[in-house]
Amino acid sequence: MPDIAREVARRRTFAIISHPDAGKTTLTEKLLLFSGAIQMAGTVKGKKGGKFATSDWMDIEKQRGISVASSVMQFDYREHVVNLLDTPGHQDFSEDTYRVLTAVDSALMVIDAAKGVEDQTIKLLNVCRLRHTPIVTFMNKYDREVRDSLELLDEVESVLKIRCAPVTWPIGMGKTFRGVYHILNDQVLLFTAGAERDSDVTEVIDGLDNPRLDELFPLEIEQTRMELELVRGASHPFNLEDFLAGTLTPVFFGSAINNFGVREILNALVDWAPAPGARDATVRPVAPSEGKFSAFVFKIQANMDPKHRDRIAFLRVCSGHFERGMKFKHLRLGRDIAANSVVTFMAQGREQVEEAFAGDIIGLPNHGNIQIGDSFSEGEALAFTGIPYFAPEMFRVVRIRNPLKIKQLQKGLQQLGEEGAVQVFKPLNGADLILGAVGVLQFEVVASRLANEYGVDAMFEPITIYTARWASCPDAKRLAEFERALENNLARDAADSLAYLATSRVNLELTQERWPEIVFHETREHA
Ligand code: G4P
């Protein structure tokens, strides 16, 4: 019997959040270099001797240019097991990107120091805030001309509303980037360019006042000493408690492409970021070290190949000991699942480990009977909470070319909505169905799956909706009045929850002002 508590304590599960082009991919590669294991998933296992779809997943990757394999990367570092979850950006940005953040215990925020805080980072950080997720910050690209470092910290504090505690501080930038000063260790780490370094060959000089530094780069070190005076006055000292509460972020500086400053952030994640903790469920919180296995679904990846309708559900393990071949229950359907076709995400080049503990992610192939938010356990009927649907930011009206296919369309959208691929709204007034998403990819996926799986040729047309808010009110009478008064702007979603579809930000604000008793929710819990 494994020592579950020990296994949990050495796990770290995090995601990288960033705006496209800030350097997430580059940084991920470097993190994997440190672990000595560049590899990801791809270890899809046979289903009762038959071959399950390794190549199918590769096909999807080719077709869509996405990487199923790199959705989850597990590697060892300093006696720890690190799970790094991808948050797809660019054209793959979707509601799943948000939901991945409900499955991690901490996040690494990467900022392009030439650009500062950008759009997608703001959105992703807002999601982290829902669960007070601890954030480590990396200011990237110091080998280039970047913005003033103090100004960057100021922007993080004012825009993202999180206090900054610089742990390292850059010495120069661009052509005169000399390295970083480690404030807590009182050491200077010298910068050398070179993308391929995989071992720690950084030269270290002790003490900020070390005369060697004045010999090496007198101008930059003098400037740094002056800046640090300011930094000490203007920023916050690192404090573990505030970091764990999600109110303070340790900030590191470096250059991902030169693999400089990367080891320091990995060390911070291992030393400071939390191990998997207790998770809320309907009956009671579940502790990670409990003996019985439990998990929830935070993401479903559908196969886009019409010949193979398999999809893979990503489960975050919350407690117990998962072993290949074990049986557990799919609680919503009350069905037993024999876990012999489960996908684990292990580093290549070592023996296939067939077990998982809290914090780890396992993939469950299925044919569409698993939904976002579903819970699994070895026994007790508990449903994990905190895996929400997020207010969509893009909307389309669905039209079909062949009206005879309306039944198939409704069925398809119902199922795709339940699965979490897209949100489906049925206006209280009118027959059109409205789709809501947080990324355009979701519409493309739905159009293609409607065609392939349901034989429906659907067209999606733009509609002027700014956002949706789920509406509730403790006073049922008042809610009914609200429904009557605003029925042209109200709809019900796949779970029959009432949603207000605002035509603009101003429209939303005015409505909120006029109906103070109504609560407008930005997320909706899985039903
Ligand atoms: P993303 O996953 O966040 O979208 O970013 P990615 O790692 O792909 O990096 C975006 C661009 O920024 C890439 O350049 C990458 O080489 C560059 N980059 C990443 N880290 C650093 C850094 O520390 N310094 C500098 N100077 N550049 C960095 P690209 O031109 O878009 O692609 P490539 O042709 O260089 O691969």
Side-chain angles (χ1 to χ4, degrees), residues 300-318:
I300 290 171
Q301 186 107 42
N303 194 334
M304 299 300 286
D305 182 342
K307 292 197 290 291
H308 300 279
R309 294 193 181 169
D310 322 294
R311 52 211 64 166
I312 197 156
F314 288 73
L315 276 65
R316 155 143 180 157
V317 180
C318 297

Side-chain angles (χ1 to χ4, degrees), residues 16 18-30 86 89-90 110 112 138-145 191 254-260:
I16 302 185
S18 65
H19 193 81
D21 281 341
K24 180 169 65 109
T25 312
T26 311
L27 187 63
T28 302
E29 266 173 40
K30 306 301 175 194
D86 191 27
H90 295 269
V110 182
D112 181 335
F138 184 60
M139 296 286 183
N140 192 23
K141 307 199 184 179
Y142 265 77
D143 59 317
R144 282 198 190 155
E145 289 302 313
F191 173 71
S255 167
I257 202 155
N258 291 294
N259 201 357
F260 184 78

